[in-house]
Amino acid sequence: MEAPKQTPTSKAGDWRSYQRVILPPVRDLHLLDVALRNGAYTALEKILKEGWERKRLVDEVKASGLRGRGGAGFSTGLKWSFMPPDKPGQPRYLACNGDESEPGTFKDRQIFEYNPHLLFEGMMMGAYGIGAHTAYLYVRGEYADYISHMERELAKAYAKGLVGKNLFGTGWDCDIVIHKGAGAYICGEESSLMESLEGKRAYPRIKPPFPAQKGLWANPTTINNVETLACVPLIVHKGASWFAGLGAPKHPGPLLYGVSGHVNRPGVYEYPTGMLLTDLIYEVCGGIRGGKKLKAVVPGGSSVPVLTAEMCEGVTMDAESMRDGGSMLGTAGVLVMDEDVDMVSFLRRTTHFYHHESCGQCTPCREGTGWLEKLVTRIDEGEGNLRDLDLLISLCDNMEGRTVCALADAAAWPVRWTVTRFRSEFEAKCKPSLVPGGFVSPETLGEAVADPGYVLSD
Amino acid sequence: MSNIHLEISPLPERNPERSFTPEQLVWTDEERARIDAYRASYPEAEAAVMRLLWMAQEKFGWLAPEVIQLVADTLGIPYAHAYGVATFYTMYFKEPKGRFVLDVCTGHSCQVCGAYDRMAHLEKTLGVHMGETTDDGQFTLQEAECLGACGTGPMLQITNGRYVHNLTDEKLDRMVATLRETGSWPFESVTLPQDEDEMQGNRRSDAEATEKAIPAPFFHSLGGHRHDAAPSHDPLHEGTEGA
């Protein structure tokens, strides 16, 4: 491995002595009585009893610098402030996105299992901040066990008067409803999540109108990720400046890193943002198993661009550094791959995922994801031609930004960047082109497909 | 041939034979109370359709057209709407399945940790291909998209419920035998690595079983593994070092 060009610096500060706050080391914290002994619901009690104005909470969250943990990394306080002024008789909703279907992401499940009361409290505080009285928690259907655990704990919290009507005697009401999904990646997209919550086929909506204007049942709605909302009580407890001072200055706070793949100790770790990717792999997770060499890292869920081993040097886990380093932070679900992984077979499975999960609403995505899968499969089977690689890139050009939601982009990015960054591996599996074609530009794509020699396999 | 290509499900027959009698297609009082609670959770009846389809699937095993009709009638929504929802989401069973549906996750983290080898082992053990049900109706073997347990991959889910982590061939054999015998598998709580260091183990005292996020024995299914290849004895899978 090449030596790094400059000494890499972590932005996570003294992370080795970091004390966890989202998942603090407390035995049985998921049970209500234990959670109450450890300060659960006191942040909510504080803002209710002190009669905080909504704006004060929103400003506090803004000041903390909290950014969404679901992938886009948008400022949470700013998102809340997009909610329109109250209209009499118009309900408002908070939806918590616990769909967590991005391959490689498994952090929210730890909150569901180990600290659900922090999430419930955060959801109600989010509802308070945007003026809602109902908070929906959308959880993917696969988490059936965790849903039933949470339902049990939620029932306990209702029975104790911590959720529901007249909370802490202040006259403020807030209901939490757990909505069980049924297996659709697309529901992680916020407008599609709302369709699913309304009991429909989860087709993403055209924006604008944005959810803050017309969301659930055409009423103002804010959608936040599970981990994002779980941070809100911590901000009120410990102060916005504590939060803002933790980790990377532009993307602060505690972060759940989900590391999977070929490391010695995979799992979910809580550390400040801005950890060096190499610290995470080699020190926290004990390095690559079997003493093998690192080959590639997908740092934020399957749709973010893959990083080669060389590119991992000096990159820190925050949105800005990841962008400069050639990828995205996404959900911080880090997949580590060792030298033995065949990138073509790897990409083949990823394209299959997006083909399977495309909702079918927009043509570029419905057809494009299928083509990506067929082409990568064909290359993987040794039947591809060299010019298929250019066709793959031009397919990506024709998908990105041309659909209602970002699934097409999410499907195209891994193809574009895996093919670009591991091109020699793809070329090694390709046969020489036997019919004229050469480089296929987006303009000539139509012709190339009409070419009778160009039959997609399978 | 591609081994990760799913068949397109055929359209339902126009007048299918009924699988359930009108006497069977009723809710108990306890179920009606649950339905009312779900219904009250939303401003519109339509929104409760997903929960009701779940209830119906747990009660009847799969969503036959008449079962979907029951759900639609219960909520007072069109059949076409309930059918549309049932067919959009993959976890709703539109055809009868085995008693245990084994959804083996082959999402990218599980894939690079050997999910297709575990799948091949299950295919061999159960004598069915991916997507098929055993002759005795006990097991349906399926491929699933990422199930969100990437740190403990390869893993699988039993009939839309229990997660089974850190799969090895031995564990799969044990699981299949246990399911045949007792019909259930304990809830496995995954111990966080930091809990391991700071709390010397899993933090839940009510976990039935615990699993550490340890890597599966390492070998790869990638690059050359094919299901249509002869199931030869593969020395790679024998005696490889653990981590």
Side-chain angles (χ1 to χ4, degrees), chain A residues 5-6 11 250 299 305 307 310-329 417 421:
Chain A
K5 291 183 191 89
Q6 56 186 42
K11 295 178 190 160
K250 286 185 178 167
L307 293 172
E310 292 73 34
M311 297 172 84
C312 295
E313 295 293 332
V315 178
T316 57
M317 295 293 285
D318 57 276
E320 277 67 33
S321 172
M322 269 296 164
R323 199 185 50 216
D324 297 342
S327 188
M328 290 188 298
L329 180 66
W417 296 108
R421 291 176 181 168

Side-chain angles (χ1 to χ4, degrees), chain A residues 20 23-28 30-31 93 103-106 109-110 113-114 136 140-146 149 151-152 177-184 186-187 196-203 217 260-271 289-290 292 302 335 338 340-342 345-346 348-349 352-353 356-357 359 373 377 380-381 458, chain B residues 1-6 38 41-44 46-47 49-51 54 58 81 83-85 87-92 106-109 111-113 116 143-152 157 160-163 165 187-199 201-206 213-220 222-223 226 243:
Chain A
R20 288 183 285 162
L23 300 169
V26 177
R27 197 159 290 284
D28 289 328
H30 63 290
L31 302 174
Y93 298 105
T105 310
F106 53 116
R109 192 166 55 87
Q110 322 300 325
E113 181 174 3
Y114 294 127
Y136 289 101
R140 65 183 301 189
E142 287 88 344
Y143 287 173
D145 271 333
Y146 308 96
H149 292 186
E151 282 177 337
R152 200 178 56 212
V177 176
I178 299 179
H179 187 94
K180 186 181 179 186
I186 192 67
C187 293
S196 188
L197 261 170
E198 292 179 8
K200 297 174 181 154
R201 291 167 74 88
Y203 291 132
W217 299 283
S260 59
H262 300 150
V263 287
N264 278 316
R265 291 184 88 196
V268 172
Y269 294 85
E270 183 190 330
Y271 283 112
R289 68 192 196 197
K292 298 219 173 194
S302 68
L335 169 65
D338 71 18
D340 292 343
V341 174
D342 178 335
S345 302
F346 170 73
R348 172 177 169 181
R349 182 64 186 80
H352 173 71
F353 171 78
H356 184 259
E357 297 297 342
C359 78
E373 185 188 0
T377 302
D380 189 35
E381 303 266 337
D458 199 353
Chain B
M1 215 194 62
S2 156
N3 54 19
I4 50 174
H5 197 84
L6 291 182
Y38 288 141
S41 306
Y42 304 96
E44 284 176 22
E46 214 173 65
V49 68
M50 289 183 71
R51 278 290 193 166
W54 272 119
E58 279 152 26
H81 183 92
Y83 181 78
V85 172
T87 49
F88 187 86
Y89 299 93
T90 47
M91 294 176 81
Y92 294 131
T106 57
H108 73 183
S109 299
Q111 180 204 14
V112 300
C113 290
Y116 282 112
E143 177 182 38
E145 299 302 339
C146 182
L147 293 171
C150 315
T152 44
Q157 180 171 36
N160 292 339
R162 198 120 298 174
Y163 276 13
H165 301 279
F187 172 79
E188 296 175 352
S189 178
V190 177
T191 307
L192 298 169
Q194 281 169 311
D195 285 357
E196 190 71 24
D197 295 339
E198 295 169 27
M199 301 163 76
N202 193 280
R203 59 167 69 208
R204 288 183 68 160
S205 57
D206 57 354
I214 47 162
F218 81 91
F219 35 71
H220 293 289
L222 295 181
R226 295 286 177 267

